[in-house]
Amino acid sequence: MKEKYISIKEALEKKKGKVSLRGWVYRERKFKDKVFIVLRDHSGIIQTVIHKDKVSEKEWEQAERILIESSVKLHGELVEDPRAPGGVELRVEKFELVHLAEPFPITKDKSKEYLYDKRHLWLRSRYLTSILKIRSTVFRAIREYFWSKGFYEFHSPSLTPGVAEEGPTLFEVNYFGKKLYLTQTWQLYAEAAIFALEKIFTIAPSFRAERSKTSRHLAEYWHAEVEVAWMNMDELMDLAEEMIKHVIREVLKHHREDLEFLGRDPKDLEKVLKKKWPRITYDEALEILEKKGMKVPWGKDLRTIEEDKLMEDFDTPVFVTHYPKEIMAFYKPRDPKNPKVARCFDLIAPEGYGELIGGSERDENIDELIKALKKAGEKIENYEFYLDTRRYGSIPHSGFGMGVERLISWICKLETIRDAIPFPRTMTRHKP
Ligand code: 4AD
Ligand code: MG
């Protein structure tokens, strides 16, 4: 008969009775006639005890030699014990060794870089497990939100012939002797697809050859993007705010303990849910900065230090809108009310987590697009497919992109974005 195993979380809730558990040895302590094993599985940890006279001789020999991270199956009786973590202990009646681990290379005193080298093993830590669980909920909640709003999930190629955002951060790929690039955004393809599907989203990897070693930049990150027919910028900001609030609500619903373990007070996030997030223009942002002693000449983009300074005054994310047209990507349209600025926004996170989202309306005017592309030094023939979208039933539309790891970093209050993704890729790290 097939054994029925329950999770450690279920065992802690059950508190008594005979159960079978399986997992890995998180801690062990050996005495003359008993061995304590703290067992770990995906759901938690539980204390177990093996008495020499309660198991066979062979089982006892194996238990005595056990090392951490060995895999085991334990069968026995649950007993309430206030001294045990979680208040419940498993008294083992049958001990099955699945695999005796070699001495585990990760010990307390290891450096950060060593932990990144051993990332495949470090994933088992409570720290990364908590983040990975939250990450899974974040992805689910993003999809859930867009599906509930009638969006289709759409996929664009990862290998692309042209630039959509910034030339200097493109990764080149040798494609059968031709030069292609890893995608930075799905946007140009998404703009073609809304003529079929109208409301679309994706979550997919984007690539940026970032030379900066910051706590906010990855070379490969997961990009949640939307593109919506007929939508204007104000509606798009509503969508972005609602989507992130939905994600935060889901994380709060399922991961309070994980958040607390990571040092994020759930109350900080609850506060963010209650408020409407401010919308200020680029010009207003410059005024705030000037009052705080930081003078930014009009026409310059806001850098990290300026964003951080600006956000000192806010405890929710803030939309900064209407950046100078000249420094924006070619597809961002001029504002008819003030042609010096574009109809675009960034959503900036509080607490120094930087830009979560970049979004805009899209220029419908084909002549303006061609002018902007030429100014950026682009070859028009590479964009013919894109320009076709403006030749056959062009419509107003808009879209945004969110760095999912940026959102996770902020929600989990992480020191670095590298821990928001299982196997980070940065300028200095591409292994394992
Ligand atoms: O602001 P960006 O460059 O905008 C676009 O790519 C648009 N085409 C998106 C769209 O409208 N569909 O990038 C969008 C977001 C940023 O706000 C940031 O959160 C994230 O992508 N991002 C990064 N995240 C991690 N590491 C990096 N190197 C990132 N670069 C951008
Ligand atoms: Mg941006």
Side-chain angles (χ1 to χ4, degrees):
M1 206 182 82
K2 202 168 169 281
E3 294 274 6
K4 187 167 168 9
Y5 290 90
I6 63 170
S7 72
I8 288 173
K9 183 163 180 274
E10 286 166 332
L12 292 172
E13 281 160 5
K14 196 166 142 66
K15 292 190 171 70
K16 55 179 196 266
K18 297 235 187 235
V19 294
S20 294
L21 303 177
R22 59 187 164 189
W24 294 265
V25 176
Y26 184 64
R27 277 198 295 266
E28 46 82 10
R29 260 185 316 143
K30 290 160 189 159
F31 298 92
K32 219 170 88 210
D33 57 352
K34 61 185 170 207
V35 173
F36 284 100
I37 287 178
V38 177
L39 186 73
R40 168 180 77 72
D41 74 2
H42 74 94
S43 71
I45 56 169
I46 188 169
Q47 177 169 297
T48 72
V49 59
I50 302 136
H51 280 275
K52 187 174 177 184
D53 53 6
K54 294 269 168 55
V55 293
S56 74
E57 213 169 297
K58 184 171 164 240
E59 287 168 46
W60 175 250
E61 270 170 28
Q62 289 178 330
E64 258 194 327
R65 287 195 297 132
I66 203 79
L67 293 179
I68 62 161
E69 291 306 321
S70 296
S71 43
V72 292
K73 293 177 177 175
L74 304 176
H75 314 267
E77 178 103 26
L78 294 171
V79 185
E80 287 194 62
D81 183 342
R83 289 165 304 177
V88 180
E89 184 179 78
L90 180 77
R91 309 241 159 110
V92 175
E93 291 158 8
K94 188 168 153 224
F95 175 91
E96 276 187 77
L97 179 66
V98 179
H99 179 250
L100 179 64
E102 296 176 27
F104 201 59
I106 297 177
T107 49
K108 271 214 172 72
D109 49 346
K110 295 297 186 199
S111 73
K112 281 195 178 153
E113 279 315 303
Y114 183 82
L115 294 178
Y116 284 108
D117 290 339
K118 296 284 180 209
R119 188 75 163 186
H120 50 295
L121 299 176
W122 186 233
L123 288 184
R124 304 176 186 197
S125 63
R126 170 81 201 273
Y127 172 67
L128 283 178
T129 304
S130 293
I131 297 169
L132 291 176
K133 285 180 185 171
I134 291 172
R135 180 179 165 100
S136 169
T137 295
V138 168
F139 276 69
R140 175 171 60 71
I142 293 170
R143 293 204 170 95
E144 226 168 49
Y145 178 79
F146 287 118
W147 284 330
S148 79
K149 296 282 165 190
F151 281 66
Y152 297 97
E153 185 161 350
F154 174 78
H155 306 106
S156 67
S158 296
L159 295 164
T160 62
V163 183
E165 289 300 321
E166 324 158 75
T169 61
L170 279 173
F171 277 113
E172 267 178 42
V173 178
N174 178 344
Y175 188 79
F176 307 112
K178 290 201 183 72
K179 209 194 290 178
L180 285 190
Y181 306 99
L182 292 179
T183 184
Q184 297 179 316
T185 169
W186 80 331
Q187 186 184 323
L188 304 192
Y189 298 96
E191 286 191 57
I194 53 148
F195 291 82
L197 300 172
E198 299 196 28
K199 292 160 69 170
I200 56 176
F201 80 98
T202 203
I203 317 183
S206 275
F207 302 88
R208 312 251 170 145
E210 302 280 359
R211 303 215 156 260
S212 48
K213 278 184 251 165
T214 73
S215 57
R216 295 179 189 174
H217 291 90
L218 292 165
E220 175 181 8
Y221 71 97
W222 285 76
H223 207 168
E225 298 188 86
V226 299
E227 198 67 34
V228 199
W230 313 108
M231 188 172 265
N232 69 26
M233 199 169 89
D234 293 318
E235 295 163 327
L236 187 69
M237 287 190 278
D238 290 340
L239 187 75
E241 180 170 339
E242 242 193 69
M243 183 264 290
I244 294 182
K245 282 181 169 171
H246 174 73
V247 171
I248 292 175
R249 243 178 255 121
E250 287 300 302
V251 170
L252 281 169
K253 190 152 57 165
H254 299 286
H255 300 288
R256 294 189 91 84
E257 266 179 48
D258 290 315
L259 289 171
E260 276 160 9
F261 175 80
L262 293 168
R264 161 62 78 201
D265 185 344
K267 286 201 204 79
D268 301 342
L269 298 175
E270 279 159 0
K271 208 162 51 191
V272 161
L273 291 181
K274 287 197 194 109
K275 295 186 184 169
K276 173 123 177 90
W277 301 349
R279 296 175 185 187
I280 62 173
T281 62
Y282 168 86
D283 286 17
E284 285 164 341
L286 291 200
E287 279 169 31
I288 295 174
L289 285 171
E290 190 165 358
K291 281 200 196 109
K292 296 170 76 73
M294 207 177 243
K295 178 123 181 82
V296 181
W298 197 95
K300 275 196 71 184
D301 207 355
L302 299 181
R303 293 166 306 168
T304 303
I305 47 161
E306 284 112 22
E307 285 176 355
D308 290 352
K309 191 87 193 159
L310 178 70
M311 290 309 293
E312 283 172 4
D313 292 4
F314 299 96
D315 59 2
T316 70
V318 173
F319 291 96
V320 179
T321 66
H322 301 90
Y323 285 78
K325 164 71 184 165
E326 296 312 313
I327 52 167
M328 290 290 111
F330 73 93
Y331 55 76
K332 297 185 187 178
R334 284 180 202 285
D335 192 326
K337 284 186 242 131
N338 175 8
K340 279 167 67 185
V341 299
R343 293 190 58 77
C344 66
F345 69 87
D346 277 358
L347 177 66
I348 306 177
E351 302 174 73
Y353 285 93
E355 184 191 321
L356 294 174
I357 288 184
S360 77
E361 291 179 8
R362 315 309 195 188
D363 209 332
E364 291 164 67
N365 183 326
I366 192 166
D367 300 324
E368 283 281 337
L369 284 169
I370 291 172
K371 212 162 74 186
L373 280 167
K374 281 191 176 149
K375 192 161 164 267
E378 294 295 326
K379 287 202 194 95
I380 300 305
E381 62 262 33
N382 286 344
Y383 293 85
E384 278 304 329
F385 86 95
Y386 180 74
L387 296 173
D388 267 355
T389 62
R390 309 308 202 256
R391 291 184 179 117
Y392 307 101
S394 188
I395 49 159
H397 62 287
S398 59
F400 69 72
M402 176 180 76
V404 183
E405 287 80 11
R406 294 261 177 102
L407 179 64
I408 294 168
S409 288
W410 168 51
I411 288 178
C412 296
K413 208 173 178 180
L414 301 182
E415 249 169 58
T416 165
I417 196 167
R418 292 193 293 174
D419 286 347
I421 189 164
F423 292 98
R425 296 289 177 258
T426 64
M427 195 170 79
T428 53
R429 161 93 31 208
H430 55 276
K431 288 192 293 194

